[in-house]
Amino acid sequence: MRALQLQRLDGPDGLQLVDVPEPEAGDSVLIDVVAAGVSFPDLLLTRGQYQLKPALPFIPGVEVAGVVRQAPAGAAVKPGQRVMAFSFGLGGFAEVAAIQPEMVFPIPAGWSFEAAAGVVMNYHTAHFALHRRGRLKAEERVVVHGAAGGVGTAAVQVARGAQARVIAVVSDARKAEVARRAGAHEVLLSTEDWVSQVREKTGGLGANVVVDPVGGDIFDKSLKCLAPEGRLLVVGFAGGRIPEVQVNRLLLRNIDVVGVAWGGFLLHEPSLTPTIAKDLEAMAERGVLTPVVGPVFPLEQGAQALRELDARRATGKVVLRMREG
């Protein structure tokens, strides 16, 4: 099978298109991959900057969508079924993937393989962030940073599905249109005084929840726009700088800074996965979830796909296309 293999920790330039043996099915679901999601952790992996540090060479990629070729007894999916999946063991940037059955889900009717390829990690992360870690309630005010990206658009839609009021923050007008299309009620530009605008649009109260996959200065400013008992959800650091906080600010203003690590949490509580999947499926049936697909690259251009993420040019979910589905 064709696969993109990381052979050097040189960032995207370390990727090489190779021909390697197909994975063994074993107790896994064997999937003929049609499309694979490209994520920020993939970019960090190519530089050796992610917490997971597999030995070289390896095949990156954790999100795929395709058709089941083979499934073990007792699996919830069957051969020939259109599925989307998440792989803890990487290997997604390839034409065939073997993934544990509990992380393989049917694709909702009407969704393309490209749309489904970026769903499991982004939407499960958004749901875990907002509900389990953020304790979101109906009618609360949610600010979503990076709201035109894969995690951001997912967070906008999951928050709307919980009847929250969503304020998106993006860096330019092009991304603002994507955030609106994802379902944000209001869109603000990070190049302006968005902190004051959040307070104005919330009647001076501030946000109940802030979803932050960016970090850096965005995190620092987000602390200033939280309502009393507000929760700032730390999802990632796409902006580069890992921020620090003086905890007296949390004490004086009665606010929380909350870590969000969906994948790591599943190692402690795997039973959370079917609960989240059921809720997301219900939202998909109601039409609340409509994945925003960004640029789609052929497999051989995987390095360029990662560069789009690195430059923060991409909107929606960046996807690699393996074959016609």
Side-chain angles (χ1 to χ4, degrees):
M1 67 174 184
R2 294 187 311 148
L4 273 180
Q5 189 180 71
L6 188 72
Q7 300 183 340
R8 309 180 312 277
L9 294 177
D10 291 340
D13 291 339
L15 288 170
Q16 184 72 35
L17 186 66
V18 297
D19 193 36
V20 296
E22 293 183 354
E24 297 289 334
D27 294 329
S28 300
V29 177
L30 203 61
I31 301 171
D32 288 318
V33 179
V34 176
V38 180
S39 64
F40 194 70
D42 294 318
L43 178 64
L44 296 179
L45 278 164
T46 67
R47 294 172 174 155
Q49 296 175 342
Y50 196 56
Q51 54 260 39
L52 177 68
K53 299 184 186 300
L56 293 170
F58 65 88
I59 300 169
V62 293
E63 306 170 279
V64 303
V67 179
V68 176
R69 182 194 296 184
Q70 184 177 336
V77 296
K78 59 186 179 181
Q81 192 168 5
R82 300 168 74 249
V83 295
M84 52 190 179
F86 176 86
S87 172
F88 284 105
L90 306 178
F93 291 178
E95 292 179 318
V96 182
I99 298 179
Q100 59 198 87
E102 58 269 27
M103 298 306 296
V104 182
F105 310 93
I107 296 177
W111 286 13
S112 67
F113 286 110
E114 288 88 351
V119 165
V120 178
M121 183 168 71
N122 286 343
Y123 281 83
H124 279 244
T125 295
H127 191 287
F128 174 69
L130 288 164
H131 288 279
R132 180 64 179 245
R133 302 296 291 141
R135 310 182 303 278
L136 181 64
K137 303 180 184 68
E139 307 301 326
E140 285 195 313
R141 303 169 299 278
V142 177
V143 169
V144 178
H145 292 292
V151 172
T153 53
V156 166
Q157 294 178 5
V158 171
R160 284 207 59 150
Q163 287 82 52
R165 184 78 183 175
V166 183
I167 302 172
V169 181
V170 296
S171 59
D172 58 44
R174 179 177 65 95
K175 293 180 179 180
E177 182 54 36
V178 174
R180 290 189 187 94
R181 185 154 49 96
H185 294 98
E186 307 269 1
V187 182
L188 308 177
L189 295 179
S190 60
T191 53
E192 300 176 354
D193 184 6
W194 58 268
V195 173
S196 296
Q197 293 180 60
V198 166
R199 291 203 166 277
E200 177 186 339
K201 292 181 181 300
T202 57
L205 297 175
N208 303 107
V209 176
V210 175
V211 180
D212 179 20
V214 180
D217 294 342
I218 289 291
F219 174 93
D220 299 336
K221 293 178 180 179
S222 293
L223 289 173
K224 300 177 181 179
C225 70
L226 282 175
E229 297 188 278
R231 291 84 74 195
L232 174 48
L233 309 182
V234 180
V235 181
F237 313 104
R241 180 173 67 85
I242 298 177
E244 298 179 354
V245 59
Q246 293 179 319
V247 295
N248 64 310
R249 297 170 68 182
L250 311 184
L251 182 153
L252 293 172
R253 300 188 55 229
N254 291 295
I255 56 178
D256 298 348
V257 173
V258 184
V260 178
W262 165 72
F265 190 82
L266 293 187
L267 299 176
H268 301 284
E269 194 170 329
S271 61
L272 184 64
T273 297
T275 301
I276 293 178
K278 184 177 180 180
D279 199 20
L280 292 176
E281 182 180 359
M283 281 192 274
E285 290 176 354
R286 300 201 315 267
V288 176
L289 305 188
T290 53
V292 179
V293 179
V296 178
F297 296 85
L299 177 61
E300 55 269 24
Q301 293 181 18
Q304 182 57 36
L306 286 169
R307 292 186 193 103
E308 289 291 306
L309 279 183
D310 196 20
R312 300 185 67 182
R313 289 190 295 263
T315 58
K317 183 65 181 181
V318 180
V319 175
L320 297 183
R321 181 81 180 195
M322 309 296 170
R323 56 164 64 90
E324 294 302 315

